[in-house]
Amino acid sequence: MRIALKPSELALTPHPEPYCNDVIDLKELKKFIQSSIDLNKQPIIIFGANWCPDARLLEATLQLPSVRQFLDAKCNTLHVDVKNYEINTELFKYFDPEIETGIPRVFILDLNGNPLNMNSNYKMRTARQQSPQEIFDYFQEFIKTN
């Protein structure tokens, strides 16, 4: 059963800017994944940049109280800044060697560290064309509920 957003929940405006120009190496990425799993939380890795309106809208949706409560209980999220595709883009290759560009790019992993949404990790690239409920439903599709 999917959780519905409350009608009173509105995305923050201006939309948040969650990316902070940090360079992350593969070792740090793997450490984040393992530490999340150790806490029995699904890792979520979101590649984006503050200049990207879809990335900022996605973050505003993830900050809605119902979404935040759901994700905080079950997941750990890592925001990976790509700036102008100048940093951290090599980390795409950890998940999919074919990815060159395109953000936001979301990878939702299971508790074994395996990506669950490889066939749709590009979906949030059009976050502005989706409702907050559609975005939330996408995450709920891949997050274990027990």
Side-chain angles (χ1 to χ4, degrees):
M1 186 172 90
R2 298 259 167 95
I3 299 168
L5 294 173
K6 296 178 177 86
S8 61
E9 291 184 279
L10 301 172
L12 300 171
T13 55
H15 298 319
E17 296 183 356
Y19 300 95
C20 55
N21 299 324
D22 289 342
V23 175
I24 298 171
D25 63 22
L26 185 57
K27 183 179 176 181
E28 290 172 283
L29 177 64
K30 288 180 177 181
K31 183 178 178 181
F32 167 79
I33 293 169
Q34 189 57 55
S35 65
S36 297
I37 292 168
D38 291 346
L39 294 169
N40 201 36
K41 291 193 172 196
Q42 286 183 248
I44 298 175
I45 296 92
I46 304 174
F47 291 86
N50 289 334
W51 58 261
C52 176
D54 290 301
R56 292 180 62 200
L57 176 74
L58 171 59
E59 183 60 20
T61 301
L62 297 181
Q63 294 300 325
L64 293 173
S66 294
V67 180
R68 184 83 271 137
Q69 181 180 9
F70 175 81
L71 291 177
D72 284 351
K74 302 173 184 316
C75 305
N76 277 345
T77 303
L78 176 66
H79 292 86
V80 179
D81 196 345
V82 299
K83 282 182 87 174
N84 289 318
Y85 297 103
E86 304 160 328
I87 61 172
N88 299 319
T89 56
E90 71 283 354
L91 297 177
F92 284 148
K93 308 293 186 215
Y94 177 72
F95 299 104
D96 184 349
E98 302 300 315
I99 296 174
E100 297 285 328
T101 61
I103 57 171
R105 184 88 55 174
V106 177
F107 293 94
I108 302 171
L109 283 59
D110 65 18
L111 291 174
N112 293 313
N114 301 310
L116 297 171
N117 65 326
M118 286 304 295
N119 294 327
S120 63
N121 64 61
Y122 61 88
K123 190 167 173 67
M124 291 305 124
R125 292 176 61 192
T126 59
R128 289 177 294 166
Q129 297 170 10
Q130 300 176 54
S131 72
Q133 186 66 59
E134 289 171 316
I135 292 170
F136 188 24
D137 288 348
Y138 178 78
F139 281 84
Q140 291 183 75
E141 181 180 335
F142 297 101
I143 307 300
K144 73 175 190 126
T145 54
N146 50 7

